PDB file of all heavy atoms in Angstrom:
ATOM      1  N   ARG A  22      33.904  -0.988 -18.142  1.00 84.00           N
ATOM      2  CA  ARG A  22      32.628  -0.667 -18.790  1.00 84.00           C
ATOM      3  C   ARG A  22      31.597  -1.758 -18.519  1.00 84.00           C
ATOM      4  O   ARG A  22      31.731  -2.875 -19.019  1.00 84.00           O
ATOM      5  CB  ARG A  22      32.832  -0.519 -20.287  1.00 84.00           C
ATOM      6  CG  ARG A  22      33.645   0.726 -20.608  1.00 84.00           C
ATOM      7  CD  ARG A  22      33.552   1.183 -22.004  1.00 84.00           C
ATOM      8  NE  ARG A  22      32.247   1.062 -22.608  1.00 84.00           N
ATOM      9  CZ  ARG A  22      32.059   1.046 -23.917  1.00 84.00           C
ATOM     10  NH1 ARG A  22      33.086   1.140 -24.726  1.00 84.00           N
ATOM     11  NH2 ARG A  22      30.854   0.944 -24.412  1.00 84.00           N
ATOM     12  N   PRO A  23      30.563  -1.429 -17.763  1.00 86.00           N
ATOM     13  CA  PRO A  23      29.556  -2.439 -17.436  1.00 86.00           C
ATOM     14  C   PRO A  23      28.651  -2.822 -18.600  1.00 86.00           C
ATOM     15  O   PRO A  23      27.974  -3.842 -18.544  1.00 86.00           O
ATOM     16  CB  PRO A  23      28.747  -1.777 -16.321  1.00 86.00           C
ATOM     17  CG  PRO A  23      28.939  -0.317 -16.528  1.00 86.00           C
ATOM     18  CD  PRO A  23      30.307  -0.150 -17.122  1.00 86.00           C
ATOM     19  N   ASP A  24      28.651  -2.040 -19.680  1.00 88.00           N
ATOM     20  CA  ASP A  24      27.742  -2.294 -20.800  1.00 88.00           C
ATOM     21  C   ASP A  24      28.272  -3.312 -21.804  1.00 88.00           C
ATOM     22  O   ASP A  24      27.548  -3.725 -22.696  1.00 88.00           O
ATOM     23  CB  ASP A  24      27.420  -0.981 -21.521  1.00 88.00           C
ATOM     24  CG  ASP A  24      28.662  -0.279 -22.040  1.00 88.00           C
ATOM     25  OD1 ASP A  24      29.690  -0.291 -21.336  1.00 88.00           O
ATOM     26  OD2 ASP A  24      28.601   0.296 -23.132  1.00 88.00           O
ATOM     27  N   ILE A  25      29.500  -3.739 -21.675  1.00 89.00           N
ATOM     28  CA  ILE A  25      30.068  -4.711 -22.613  1.00 89.00           C
ATOM     29  C   ILE A  25      29.595  -6.106 -22.230  1.00 89.00           C
ATOM     30  O   ILE A  25      29.650  -6.501 -21.069  1.00 89.00           O
ATOM     31  CB  ILE A  25      31.606  -4.628 -22.623  1.00 89.00           C
ATOM     32  CG1 ILE A  25      32.041  -3.252 -23.144  1.00 89.00           C
ATOM     33  CG2 ILE A  25      32.205  -5.744 -23.478  1.00 89.00           C
ATOM     34  CD1 ILE A  25      33.527  -3.038 -23.140  1.00 89.00           C
ATOM     35  N   GLU A  26      29.119  -6.858 -23.219  1.00 90.00           N
ATOM     36  CA  GLU A  26      28.536  -8.172 -22.952  1.00 90.00           C
ATOM     37  C   GLU A  26      29.392  -9.341 -23.393  1.00 90.00           C
ATOM     38  O   GLU A  26      29.167 -10.470 -22.968  1.00 90.00           O
ATOM     39  CB  GLU A  26      27.166  -8.263 -23.620  1.00 90.00           C
ATOM     40  CG  GLU A  26      26.182  -7.246 -23.071  1.00 90.00           C
ATOM     41  CD  GLU A  26      24.835  -7.314 -23.747  1.00 90.00           C
ATOM     42  OE1 GLU A  26      24.607  -8.243 -24.549  1.00 90.00           O
ATOM     43  OE2 GLU A  26      24.006  -6.442 -23.459  1.00 90.00           O
ATOM     44  N   ALA A  27      30.387  -9.088 -24.254  1.00 94.00           N
ATOM     45  CA  ALA A  27      31.214 -10.190 -24.749  1.00 94.00           C
ATOM     46  C   ALA A  27      32.617  -9.698 -25.029  1.00 94.00           C
ATOM     47  O   ALA A  27      32.839  -8.523 -25.331  1.00 94.00           O
ATOM     48  CB  ALA A  27      30.607 -10.795 -26.012  1.00 94.00           C
ATOM     49  N   LEU A  28      33.558 -10.621 -24.932  1.00 94.00           N
ATOM     50  CA  LEU A  28      34.954 -10.333 -25.225  1.00 94.00           C
ATOM     51  C   LEU A  28      35.425 -11.371 -26.224  1.00 94.00           C
ATOM     52  O   LEU A  28      35.222 -12.570 -26.033  1.00 94.00           O
ATOM     53  CB  LEU A  28      35.775 -10.416 -23.934  1.00 94.00           C
ATOM     54  CG  LEU A  28      37.259 -10.157 -24.023  1.00 94.00           C
ATOM     55  CD1 LEU A  28      37.540  -8.742 -24.531  1.00 94.00           C
ATOM     56  CD2 LEU A  28      37.908 -10.353 -22.659  1.00 94.00           C
ATOM     57  N   PHE A  29      36.018 -10.906 -27.313  1.00 94.00           N
ATOM     58  CA  PHE A  29      36.554 -11.808 -28.326  1.00 94.00           C
ATOM     59  C   PHE A  29      38.064 -11.883 -28.160  1.00 94.00           C
ATOM     60  O   PHE A  29      38.722 -10.855 -27.965  1.00 94.00           O
ATOM     61  CB  PHE A  29      36.217 -11.306 -29.737  1.00 94.00           C
ATOM     62  CG  PHE A  29      34.782 -11.527 -30.112  1.00 94.00           C
ATOM     63  CD1 PHE A  29      33.776 -10.711 -29.613  1.00 94.00           C
ATOM     64  CD2 PHE A  29      34.437 -12.569 -30.943  1.00 94.00           C
ATOM     65  CE1 PHE A  29      32.449 -10.916 -29.937  1.00 94.00           C
ATOM     66  CE2 PHE A  29      33.101 -12.783 -31.285  1.00 94.00           C
ATOM     67  CZ  PHE A  29      32.114 -11.959 -30.781  1.00 94.00           C
ATOM     68  N   ALA A  30      38.606 -13.085 -28.241  1.00 95.00           N
ATOM     69  CA  ALA A  30      40.045 -13.285 -28.101  1.00 95.00           C
ATOM     70  C   ALA A  30      40.487 -14.388 -29.051  1.00 95.00           C
ATOM     71  O   ALA A  30      39.693 -15.260 -29.423  1.00 95.00           O
ATOM     72  CB  ALA A  30      40.387 -13.675 -26.662  1.00 95.00           C
ATOM     73  N   SER A  31      41.744 -14.332 -29.417  1.00 91.00           N
ATOM     74  CA  SER A  31      42.314 -15.426 -30.206  1.00 91.00           C
ATOM     75  C   SER A  31      42.925 -16.434 -29.241  1.00 91.00           C
ATOM     76  O   SER A  31      43.022 -16.176 -28.033  1.00 91.00           O
ATOM     77  CB  SER A  31      43.395 -14.888 -31.151  1.00 91.00           C
ATOM     78  OG  SER A  31      44.509 -14.428 -30.400  1.00 91.00           O
ATOM     79  N   GLU A  32      43.354 -17.566 -29.769  1.00 89.00           N
ATOM     80  CA  GLU A  32      44.050 -18.532 -28.924  1.00 89.00           C
ATOM     81  C   GLU A  32      45.275 -17.874 -28.298  1.00 89.00           C
ATOM     82  O   GLU A  32      45.647 -18.163 -27.168  1.00 89.00           O
ATOM     83  CB  GLU A  32      44.488 -19.752 -29.742  1.00 89.00           C
ATOM     84  CG  GLU A  32      43.341 -20.561 -30.308  1.00 89.00           C
ATOM     85  CD  GLU A  32      43.362 -20.598 -31.826  1.00 89.00           C
ATOM     86  OE1 GLU A  32      44.051 -19.781 -32.465  1.00 89.00           O
ATOM     87  OE2 GLU A  32      42.653 -21.449 -32.379  1.00 89.00           O
ATOM     88  N   GLU A  33      45.857 -16.949 -29.022  1.00 90.00           N
ATOM     89  CA  GLU A  33      47.073 -16.261 -28.589  1.00 90.00           C
ATOM     90  C   GLU A  33      46.804 -15.289 -27.426  1.00 90.00           C
ATOM     91  O   GLU A  33      47.669 -15.072 -26.588  1.00 90.00           O
ATOM     92  CB  GLU A  33      47.645 -15.509 -29.793  1.00 90.00           C
ATOM     93  CG  GLU A  33      49.002 -14.945 -29.616  1.00 90.00           C
ATOM     94  CD  GLU A  33      49.488 -14.327 -30.914  1.00 90.00           C
ATOM     95  OE1 GLU A  33      48.928 -13.296 -31.336  1.00 90.00           O
ATOM     96  OE2 GLU A  33      50.421 -14.889 -31.517  1.00 90.00           O
ATOM     97  N   THR A  34      45.610 -14.707 -27.371  1.00 93.00           N
ATOM     98  CA  THR A  34      45.296 -13.707 -26.342  1.00 93.00           C
ATOM     99  C   THR A  34      44.333 -14.237 -25.277  1.00 93.00           C
ATOM    100  O   THR A  34      43.872 -13.481 -24.426  1.00 93.00           O
ATOM    101  CB  THR A  34      44.696 -12.448 -26.992  1.00 93.00           C
ATOM    102  OG1 THR A  34      43.494 -12.796 -27.678  1.00 93.00           O
ATOM    103  CG2 THR A  34      45.674 -11.803 -27.962  1.00 93.00           C
ATOM    104  N   PHE A  35      44.066 -15.527 -25.304  1.00 95.00           N
ATOM    105  CA  PHE A  35      43.099 -16.146 -24.402  1.00 95.00           C
ATOM    106  C   PHE A  35      43.431 -15.915 -22.925  1.00 95.00           C
ATOM    107  O   PHE A  35      42.557 -15.539 -22.132  1.00 95.00           O
ATOM    108  CB  PHE A  35      43.016 -17.649 -24.701  1.00 95.00           C
ATOM    109  CG  PHE A  35      42.157 -18.416 -23.755  1.00 95.00           C
ATOM    110  CD1 PHE A  35      40.784 -18.310 -23.803  1.00 95.00           C
ATOM    111  CD2 PHE A  35      42.723 -19.251 -22.805  1.00 95.00           C
ATOM    112  CE1 PHE A  35      39.978 -19.023 -22.926  1.00 95.00           C
ATOM    113  CE2 PHE A  35      41.930 -19.964 -21.924  1.00 95.00           C
ATOM    114  CZ  PHE A  35      40.557 -19.852 -21.987  1.00 95.00           C
ATOM    115  N   LEU A  36      44.680 -16.119 -22.534  1.00 96.00           N
ATOM    116  CA  LEU A  36      45.044 -15.951 -21.119  1.00 96.00           C
ATOM    117  C   LEU A  36      44.855 -14.508 -20.656  1.00 96.00           C
ATOM    118  O   LEU A  36      44.399 -14.261 -19.542  1.00 96.00           O
ATOM    119  CB  LEU A  36      46.475 -16.421 -20.878  1.00 96.00           C
ATOM    120  CG  LEU A  36      46.700 -17.927 -21.049  1.00 96.00           C
ATOM    121  CD1 LEU A  36      48.172 -18.280 -20.824  1.00 96.00           C
ATOM    122  CD2 LEU A  36      45.810 -18.724 -20.118  1.00 96.00           C
ATOM    123  N   GLY A  37      45.160 -13.559 -21.506  1.00 96.00           N
ATOM    124  CA  GLY A  37      44.930 -12.159 -21.172  1.00 96.00           C
ATOM    125  C   GLY A  37      43.447 -11.861 -21.017  1.00 96.00           C
ATOM    126  O   GLY A  37      43.042 -11.103 -20.137  1.00 96.00           O
ATOM    127  N   ALA A  38      42.634 -12.483 -21.853  1.00 95.00           N
ATOM    128  CA  ALA A  38      41.185 -12.292 -21.762  1.00 95.00           C
ATOM    129  C   ALA A  38      40.646 -12.849 -20.441  1.00 95.00           C
ATOM    130  O   ALA A  38      39.765 -12.252 -19.820  1.00 95.00           O
ATOM    131  CB  ALA A  38      40.492 -12.963 -22.946  1.00 95.00           C
ATOM    132  N   LEU A  39      41.185 -13.975 -19.989  1.00 96.00           N
ATOM    133  CA  LEU A  39      40.768 -14.523 -18.703  1.00 96.00           C
ATOM    134  C   LEU A  39      41.104 -13.555 -17.566  1.00 96.00           C
ATOM    135  O   LEU A  39      40.325 -13.399 -16.625  1.00 96.00           O
ATOM    136  CB  LEU A  39      41.439 -15.870 -18.450  1.00 96.00           C
ATOM    137  CG  LEU A  39      40.933 -17.048 -19.279  1.00 96.00           C
ATOM    138  CD1 LEU A  39      41.723 -18.305 -18.936  1.00 96.00           C
ATOM    139  CD2 LEU A  39      39.444 -17.272 -19.067  1.00 96.00           C
ATOM    140  N   LYS A  40      42.244 -12.903 -17.664  1.00 96.00           N
ATOM    141  CA  LYS A  40      42.620 -11.909 -16.650  1.00 96.00           C
ATOM    142  C   LYS A  40      41.630 -10.749 -16.641  1.00 96.00           C
ATOM    143  O   LYS A  40      41.275 -10.234 -15.582  1.00 96.00           O
ATOM    144  CB  LYS A  40      44.037 -11.395 -16.908  1.00 96.00           C
ATOM    145  CG  LYS A  40      45.106 -12.426 -16.633  1.00 96.00           C
ATOM    146  CD  LYS A  40      46.480 -11.873 -16.950  1.00 96.00           C
ATOM    147  CE  LYS A  40      47.545 -12.936 -16.757  1.00 96.00           C
ATOM    148  NZ  LYS A  40      48.877 -12.448 -17.092  1.00 96.00           N
ATOM    149  N   VAL A  41      41.192 -10.332 -17.817  1.00 94.00           N
ATOM    150  CA  VAL A  41      40.199  -9.259 -17.911  1.00 94.00           C
ATOM    151  C   VAL A  41      38.907  -9.686 -17.226  1.00 94.00           C
ATOM    152  O   VAL A  41      38.316  -8.927 -16.447  1.00 94.00           O
ATOM    153  CB  VAL A  41      39.932  -8.874 -19.391  1.00 94.00           C
ATOM    154  CG1 VAL A  41      38.715  -7.978 -19.517  1.00 94.00           C
ATOM    155  CG2 VAL A  41      41.163  -8.200 -19.984  1.00 94.00           C
ATOM    156  N   LEU A  42      38.456 -10.908 -17.494  1.00 94.00           N
ATOM    157  CA  LEU A  42      37.219 -11.393 -16.887  1.00 94.00           C
ATOM    158  C   LEU A  42      37.341 -11.458 -15.367  1.00 94.00           C
ATOM    159  O   LEU A  42      36.422 -11.064 -14.647  1.00 94.00           O
ATOM    160  CB  LEU A  42      36.840 -12.759 -17.455  1.00 94.00           C
ATOM    161  CG  LEU A  42      36.481 -12.803 -18.939  1.00 94.00           C
ATOM    162  CD1 LEU A  42      36.139 -14.220 -19.361  1.00 94.00           C
ATOM    163  CD2 LEU A  42      35.339 -11.865 -19.252  1.00 94.00           C
ATOM    164  N   ARG A  43      38.467 -11.954 -14.865  1.00 95.00           N
ATOM    165  CA  ARG A  43      38.677 -12.025 -13.412  1.00 95.00           C
ATOM    166  C   ARG A  43      38.679 -10.636 -12.792  1.00 95.00           C
ATOM    167  O   ARG A  43      38.118 -10.412 -11.719  1.00 95.00           O
ATOM    168  CB  ARG A  43      39.989 -12.749 -13.096  1.00 95.00           C
ATOM    169  CG  ARG A  43      39.858 -14.253 -13.183  1.00 95.00           C
ATOM    170  CD  ARG A  43      41.032 -14.956 -12.527  1.00 95.00           C
ATOM    171  NE  ARG A  43      42.304 -14.671 -13.177  1.00 95.00           N
ATOM    172  CZ  ARG A  43      42.836 -15.401 -14.132  1.00 95.00           C
ATOM    173  NH1 ARG A  43      42.232 -16.471 -14.579  1.00 95.00           N
ATOM    174  NH2 ARG A  43      43.999 -15.072 -14.670  1.00 95.00           N
ATOM    175  N   GLU A  44      39.300  -9.667 -13.473  1.00 94.00           N
ATOM    176  CA  GLU A  44      39.360  -8.305 -12.946  1.00 94.00           C
ATOM    177  C   GLU A  44      37.975  -7.666 -12.928  1.00 94.00           C
ATOM    178  O   GLU A  44      37.639  -6.925 -11.999  1.00 94.00           O
ATOM    179  CB  GLU A  44      40.338  -7.458 -13.766  1.00 94.00           C
ATOM    180  CG  GLU A  44      40.503  -6.048 -13.272  1.00 94.00           C
ATOM    181  CD  GLU A  44      41.063  -5.922 -11.866  1.00 94.00           C
ATOM    182  OE1 GLU A  44      41.664  -6.880 -11.334  1.00 94.00           O
ATOM    183  OE2 GLU A  44      40.905  -4.835 -11.270  1.00 94.00           O
ATOM    184  N   ARG A  45      37.158  -7.947 -13.933  1.00 94.00           N
ATOM    185  CA  ARG A  45      35.778  -7.434 -13.935  1.00 94.00           C
ATOM    186  C   ARG A  45      35.021  -7.935 -12.712  1.00 94.00           C
ATOM    187  O   ARG A  45      34.353  -7.174 -12.032  1.00 94.00           O
ATOM    188  CB  ARG A  45      35.033  -7.882 -15.203  1.00 94.00           C
ATOM    189  CG  ARG A  45      35.349  -7.093 -16.433  1.00 94.00           C
ATOM    190  CD  ARG A  45      34.553  -7.620 -17.617  1.00 94.00           C
ATOM    191  NE  ARG A  45      33.120  -7.476 -17.445  1.00 94.00           N
ATOM    192  CZ  ARG A  45      32.427  -6.388 -17.768  1.00 94.00           C
ATOM    193  NH1 ARG A  45      33.030  -5.337 -18.273  1.00 94.00           N
ATOM    194  NH2 ARG A  45      31.121  -6.351 -17.596  1.00 94.00           N
ATOM    195  N   ILE A  46      35.150  -9.213 -12.446  1.00 93.00           N
ATOM    196  CA  ILE A  46      34.446  -9.798 -11.303  1.00 93.00           C
ATOM    197  C   ILE A  46      34.979  -9.196  -9.997  1.00 93.00           C
ATOM    198  O   ILE A  46      34.211  -8.860  -9.099  1.00 93.00           O
ATOM    199  CB  ILE A  46      34.574 -11.332 -11.328  1.00 93.00           C
ATOM    200  CG1 ILE A  46      33.792 -11.878 -12.527  1.00 93.00           C
ATOM    201  CG2 ILE A  46      34.084 -11.947 -10.024  1.00 93.00           C
ATOM    202  CD1 ILE A  46      34.059 -13.325 -12.852  1.00 93.00           C
TER     203      ILE A  46
END
């Protein structure tokens, strides 16, 4: 989804969030 501007993550899900950001790019 190109319209999402921010992703919230906990310390526990931080690495997964980084994977999401890399995949978006």
Side-chain angles (χ1 to χ4, degrees):
R22 291 198 38 200
D24 58 321
I25 296 177
E26 298 179 7
L28 180 61
F29 285 77
S31 67
E32 296 118 344
E33 190 176 68
T34 60
F35 174 73
L36 293 178
L39 287 179
K40 290 178 184 178
V41 168
L42 295 180
R43 280 195 297 267
E44 182 62 18
R45 281 180 63 87
I46 292 168

